[in-house]
Amino acid sequence: MTTVVGSEGSGGTGRRFDPGDRWVPVDRRWLGLDRATILPALVVLGLAILMGSILPSIDTAVPYRDTVAAGDVMQLDGGITFTPAPGWGITDGVRAGANPVTKVYPPTAKLVDGPIRFGLYTAPFAGTPLDLLRQIERTDTLLDGASAITGDPAVIVNQDGAKGLLARFTRGGSDGVIAAYVLDGRGVQAVALGPTGLTPEQTRNIADMIVSIGRTREAL
C-alpha cells in the first residue's frame, strides 16, 4: 500500500511519496506484472497442464503389452491382493506368485481399459477407513486441488467381510470413485477414473475389483 508522509523542509512542512513494500518500479513491469513473478507463474501453469491433461493423454495413448487373463490375481506389498478384470491392461504391478523367492511386491498396481484407469495403493495405516478417506482427500487437495468428493461415502464390504468406504469424486470433467479399506493395519486405496456414461459391464468390472480386495492367507 502506498502512503504519503510529512517531512520537514527549509520552507516548512513538505510531503514525500512512500511507495510501500509491494510497489514495483516501471522498468521492472511487463503488462502491469512484476517481471520477476512471470517465469515462476508460467512454470506452475505448465506443470498444471502437464499433470492435468498431457500425462493422462500419454497414458491412454501408450499401448500396453500385458493383458489380464481369467484367474489372474494381483498382489501388493503387505499381502494385499485383488482380482483384476479379464481383458484389462496391466501398466504397473505384479501377479501373485510372481516373486516366490523374495516375496517382495510393490505397493501399487495400475490397470487400464480404454479411457478408464484403475489404481490400487497400500501402506501401513493406523486408523479407520473414514480416517483414510479424509487423508486421501486432504492429500489430493494439496497436490492439485482438482478433485472434489461428491456426496456422503457409502459402506462397502469386501469378499472377506471387511468393511470399507466408497466415495464418488469428480476431476477435470471425469467421474471416479475412491474406495478405502484398512485391513489389519494396512490402508488400501483404490481409485477408478473414467468418462461419464460407462457401460454396465465396465461399472461391474470396477465394482468387482474393489470388493475383491483382501489379504493373502500367509499375511493373515
Side-chain angles (χ1 to χ4, degrees), residues 49-210:
I49 295 174
L50 180 67
M51 298 299 294
S53 59
I54 297 177
L55 288 183
S57 299
I58 293 175
D59 288 341
T60 303
V62 173
Y64 51 84
R65 298 180 180 179
D66 196 356
T67 302
V68 176
D72 283 348
V73 175
M74 304 292 290
Q75 184 164 341
L76 286 75
D77 186 32
I80 300 298
T81 62
F82 75 100
T83 303
W88 284 51
I90 302 173
T91 60
D92 187 21
V94 178
R95 289 177 174 83
N99 296 333
V101 178
T102 63
K103 295 184 179 181
V104 175
Y105 291 88
T108 59
K110 297 178 182 179
L111 307 173
V112 296
D113 180 32
I116 310 171
R117 289 176 288 165
F118 181 87
L120 213 68
Y121 174 75
T122 181
F125 185 79
T128 65
L130 181 58
D131 295 331
L132 179 57
L133 189 63
R134 287 173 174 169
Q135 178 173 298
I136 294 168
E137 185 175 19
R138 286 196 303 268
T139 303
D140 191 80
T141 300
L142 289 173
L143 288 175
D144 56 30
S147 301
I149 290 180
T150 58
D152 296 326
V155 176
I156 54 175
V157 181
N158 74 352
Q159 60 184 0
D160 300 320
K163 293 183 179 180
L165 290 176
L166 181 75
R168 296 183 178 275
F169 72 97
T170 59
R171 174 184 293 173
S174 298
D175 292 334
V177 292
I178 300 176
Y181 289 104
V182 179
L183 305 175
D184 299 320
R186 292 202 70 87
V188 184
Q189 168 190 346
V191 178
L193 182 66
T196 57
L198 297 182
T199 67
E201 180 180 4
Q202 290 170 328
T203 302
R204 184 171 59 252
N205 285 339
I206 293 171
D208 288 346
M209 288 191 287
I210 289 175

Side-chain angles (χ1 to χ4, degrees), residues 8-56:
E8 296 296 332
S10 58
T13 302
R15 302 178 70 84
R16 62 184 175 84
F17 175 69
D18 181 6
D21 296 335
R22 298 184 180 181
W23 184 74
V24 179
V26 175
D27 60 350
R28 281 179 46 196
R29 287 186 244 164
W30 181 73
L31 295 180
L33 301 175
D34 185 351
R35 293 177 185 270
T37 65
I38 293 177
L39 181 58
L42 290 177
V43 171
V44 172
L45 178 61
L47 288 175
I49 295 174
L50 180 67
M51 298 299 294
S53 59
I54 297 177
L55 288 183

